[in-house]
Amino acid sequence: MTATTTNPAVNPRGRTRRGPDLVAIRARGISASTAKYLSLIIAALCTLLPLVSVVFASLKTAQEYGATGALEPPQNWFNFDNFVTAFTRGDMFMGFVNTLIVLGVSLVGTIILGTMTAYALDRFEFRGRKLVMGLFLVATLIPSVTSQVATFQVINGLGLYDTKAALILLFMGTDIIAIYLFIQFMASIPVSLDEAAMIDGANRWTIYWRIILPLLKPAIATVVIIKGIAVYNEFYSPFLYLPSEDLISTSLFRFKGPFGSQWEIISAGALIVIVPTLIAFLLLQRWIYKGLTSGAVK
């Protein structure tokens, strides 16, 4: 027993030969951990530094902002005048109200149209079904900027220019990704549920409303999160199609002019804009992680 533990020639797995291997394994483990934490620290710094710069700028006066650096702390940490100016002169309250109206109607319309379209494509066999699916795929490959002139003419021809209905129509009718997401989730719902309901006398509308739609809650949560963030942050469409009214994304634009920009007020307004999304993330983070992961696997 003693010979097998002390003679490396007899016991190739003895301590004298296993030692260097363990040292190498530990060294690789330490290197991997160091690289992992170093990359996380760099990513955190890249994410937080712009936000820190915005927080510092929001607490500075105009003269102080022009005389100091972006990462130089403010002299007065309790200078909230920029927040008051951004909220009042920027008319951010009406911006929040208009954004809430456009966002709510767009989400409801997207969910209803998307789920009904996915139900028809997944449950019904009809001539041209593959063609419709192919056209959806082609639509996702066309850059949106190439159709902006035609889109503007259609909106103007319908008499919807400078109305909230233009934004709602655009946000509801351009989400092919949501339709694909609903189709992928719906494919996992057994058709036997539809057949059992039809035996019990249910028609197609009852099956969709009472059975399919409640089972699509994870997909609906995913679409609400992704679509909600996209609509909330959208700047181009509200700026072009609704010039007489402000959404929350365009309300801060009035502090930027041809003769200069009030960046300290814009920074304060940007922090006010972040608050609702931060609250929504804290309340819905479980659904966000679960929904995005499910959407990636389906």
Side-chain angles (χ1 to χ4, degrees):
M1 182 68 182
T2 305
T4 56
T5 56
T6 56
N7 187 358
V10 176
N11 184 8
R13 296 183 179 181
R15 181 176 299 177
T16 54
R17 291 193 176 184
R18 190 168 53 187
D21 295 337
L22 290 176
V23 171
I25 292 173
R26 289 175 180 174
R28 285 196 295 269
I30 293 173
S31 301
S33 299
T34 303
K36 179 178 67 177
Y37 286 108
L38 187 61
S39 62
L40 290 175
I41 291 172
I42 293 174
L45 289 176
C46 292
T47 304
L48 293 177
L49 276 181
L51 188 59
V52 170
S53 173
V54 171
V55 173
F56 286 172
S58 67
L59 299 174
K60 294 179 181 178
T61 62
Q63 295 77 14
E64 185 183 0
Y65 180 79
T68 58
L71 295 178
E72 189 171 343
Q75 296 177 354
N76 183 8
W77 289 91
F78 298 99
N79 178 25
F80 300 113
D81 293 340
N82 295 328
F83 292 90
V84 176
T85 303
F87 194 82
T88 55
R89 287 176 52 196
D91 202 10
M92 296 187 71
F93 178 75
M94 285 308 302
F96 276 118
V97 172
N98 292 333
T99 302
L100 186 62
I101 294 172
V102 173
L103 180 63
V105 178
S106 300
L107 287 178
V108 172
T110 299
I111 291 171
I112 293 176
L113 291 178
T115 53
M116 293 181 72
T117 304
Y119 179 68
L121 292 174
D122 186 72
R123 289 296 197 262
F124 291 90
E125 292 290 340
F126 55 90
R127 184 176 299 175
R129 178 174 174 271
K130 292 184 179 180
L131 177 62
V132 173
M133 296 288 291
L135 290 176
F136 280 158
L137 180 60
V138 171
T140 60
L141 300 178
I142 297 176
S144 60
V145 68
T146 59
S147 59
Q148 287 302 310
V149 175
T151 303
F152 184 85
Q153 290 179 342
V154 170
I155 294 296
N156 193 37
L158 293 174
L160 299 178
Y161 178 70
D162 204 10
T163 64
K164 297 185 185 68
L167 295 177
I168 292 172
L169 185 63
L170 290 173
F171 291 142
M172 285 171 52
T174 58
D175 200 348
I176 306 299
I177 302 299
I179 295 176
Y180 268 109
L181 192 61
F182 286 133
I183 290 175
Q184 292 170 354
F185 272 83
M186 198 169 293
S188 63
I189 301 175
V191 183
S192 58
L193 290 177
D194 300 32
E195 297 171 349
M198 294 180 71
I199 293 174
D200 291 338
N203 55 27
R204 286 292 185 182
W205 171 256
T206 304
I207 294 172
Y208 162 77
W209 188 255
R210 297 287 182 85
I211 298 176
I212 300 298
L213 196 59
L215 292 176
L216 288 176
K217 284 182 180 178
I220 293 174
T222 304
V223 171
V224 167
I225 293 166
I226 297 175
K227 186 79 175 181
I229 294 174
V231 173
Y232 188 81
N233 294 329
E234 177 68 22
F235 176 82
Y236 174 75
S237 295
F239 183 72
L240 179 61
Y241 293 99
L242 192 61
S244 64
E245 298 181 57
D246 286 332
L247 267 64
I248 197 61
S249 58
T250 58
S251 60
L252 298 178
F253 196 70
R254 64 183 60 195
F255 297 108
K256 190 177 186 308
F259 303 104
S261 302
Q262 298 173 280
W263 292 111
E264 67 282 357
I265 299 177
I266 294 176
S267 299
L271 292 178
I272 296 175
V273 172
I274 292 174
V275 170
T277 56
L278 181 62
I279 294 174
F281 172 77
L282 294 176
L283 295 177
L284 303 174
Q285 55 181 329
R286 180 171 64 90
W287 288 98
I288 292 174
Y289 296 139
K290 183 179 178 181
L292 292 178
T293 304
S294 301
V297 173
K298 293 288 181 182

